[in-house]
Amino acid sequence: MMTYPRSPKVLLGGIAHLARLIDKIKLRHAGQIQDYNYLTVGFDKYLLDFLQIAPKAFEQRVLAGGSDDELLAWVKTNSRALSDQDIAQWSQGLLASGPKDDATRQRYQGRLQEVATKRGVPVASLPPASTWVDAIELDEGRM
């Protein structure tokens, strides 16, 4: 049984994707998700750039251990100053983001096709999906 990181929708300190990134670091170092986008691309990079935290520093902190609350406290201490409103806006934007041009729409359709193929069903039978988070949720069986 595949172990998946938490959904990007799980908010930690109001921050979308943070709990997922913590899980991805732990799972990757346990050798369970080698093929995932990691730290320097995608939502991981987007989150770390938003927080202005160095990927290696965050990775080392997560691997040092601690609860979600302890890791969140570290993030708050080591990231740039962010208001609750900054965080809420950023999280809403991430969760609502979808393909914006033909090239990314094609990549998105490709992702949906991969999920459909894995499930042995036509793409049309998948639940409606329009955001990158939807694609992740479908791929990891939460939708």
Side-chain angles (χ1 to χ4, degrees), residues 14-129:
I15 306 169
H17 192 70
L18 181 58
R20 180 178 177 81
L21 182 53
I22 290 167
D23 288 354
K24 284 177 70 176
I25 291 169
K26 291 175 181 175
L27 288 166
R28 186 179 179 94
H29 283 265
Q32 295 178 313
I33 55 167
Q34 296 310 311
D35 59 334
Y36 274 51
N37 285 346
Y38 187 66
L39 290 184
T40 58
V41 288
F43 283 176
D44 296 3
K45 176 176 171 34
Y46 187 47
L47 173 58
L48 292 169
D49 286 352
F50 168 69
L51 297 170
Q52 293 179 4
I53 289 178
K56 273 284 165 235
F58 185 65
E59 182 181 52
Q60 286 167 347
R61 177 60 193 89
V62 170
L63 294 175
S67 66
D68 280 352
D69 288 341
E70 289 167 327
L71 294 170
L72 177 61
W74 183 91
V75 165
K76 286 184 169 173
T77 303
N78 291 276
S79 69
R80 67 192 174 105
L82 292 163
S83 70
D84 289 346
Q85 188 181 0
D86 294 333
I87 289 168
Q89 271 182 326
W90 183 88
S91 292
Q92 285 162 3
L94 176 111
L95 295 174
S97 70
K100 291 181 178 45
D101 57 39
D102 287 343
T104 53
R105 271 189 286 278
Q106 280 186 319
R107 207 170 82 222
Y108 189 82
Q109 284 309 122
R111 285 282 300 272
L112 297 184
Q113 183 57 62
E114 286 169 22
V115 171
T117 301
K118 265 200 256 185
R119 294 186 184 185
V121 299
V123 171
S125 75
L126 293 175

